[in-house]
Amino acid sequence: YETAHRPDVGLAVARMAAHVTYVSEQSLQAKFGRARSGDTPRFGADFEVEHYLDHQGEAFLQRFDANTYLYLSRAMDYFQPLARPDALARLAEGHTRYLLISFDTDWRFPTAHTLAIAVQLDAAGASVQASEIASPFGHDSFLLEVPAYHEAVRTFLAS
């Protein structure tokens, strides 16, 4: 903020790289395949997926200030809900039921991490239900229309 320079290029490139991990390879392949925007090979954006990622980077700059994003990213990096010695006991002493859902194509939060949390909650005596849902959309599955996900949440809330 002390200078007139904003790290927009870095933030856009970081978003483009991260975006690839939020969607699955299957999803990108279905959406773009090897489609190109022209007939002549060139450096720069040549494939449709590159144009899409460029757009994602630019759109991100309109929604986030780079410093805000850095603080949010660090908060997520340091987030350890079960790090305190009394955390599990405190979670189990309430009457809260836990539903943990993962998606089979999520690289950001894979099912193994979700199951590790479920094992810890269960060992502490908490009421926990964990399930993995098949989806071609990767980490972004929770944002999209995945019927099995919505049904799992609906069933859990109704029980």
Side-chain angles (χ1 to χ4, degrees), residues 64-139:
F64 277 101
D65 171 88
N67 287 312
T68 300
Y69 189 69
L70 288 173
Y71 278 100
L72 286 172
S73 294
R74 285 314 266 173
M76 290 190 310
D77 290 343
Y78 284 108
F79 180 65
Q80 292 181 290
L82 304 177
R84 289 182 48 178
D86 64 336
L88 281 172
R90 293 182 73 198
L91 289 174
E93 71 188 18
H95 297 291
T96 302
R97 298 177 305 129
Y98 297 91
L99 172 64
L100 307 178
I101 296 177
S102 62
F103 298 100
D104 63 344
T105 54
D106 187 344
W107 298 349
R108 181 70 175 103
F109 296 106
T111 297
H113 292 176
T114 302
L115 294 178
I117 293 170
V119 166
Q120 289 179 300
L121 286 168
D122 185 60
S127 173
V128 61
Q129 177 184 338
S131 64
E132 178 184 68
I133 294 178
S135 170
F137 306 120
H139 179 71

Side-chain angles (χ1 to χ4, degrees), residues 1-15 57-58 60-61 64-70:
Y1 291 116
E2 295 83 31
T3 70
H5 303 288
R6 291 173 34 132
D8 287 349
V9 172
L11 183 60
V13 170
R15 174 59 178 178
E58 286 299 317
F60 198 68
L61 294 176
F64 277 101
D65 171 88
N67 287 312
T68 300
Y69 189 69
L70 288 173

Side-chain angles (χ1 to χ4, degrees), residues 24-42:
S24 68
E25 180 180 357
Q26 178 185 1
S27 178
L28 288 174
Q29 181 64 28
K31 195 172 196 175
F32 302 106
R34 301 232 349 122
R36 293 182 38 213
S37 57
D39 294 331
T40 306
R42 63 181 185 266

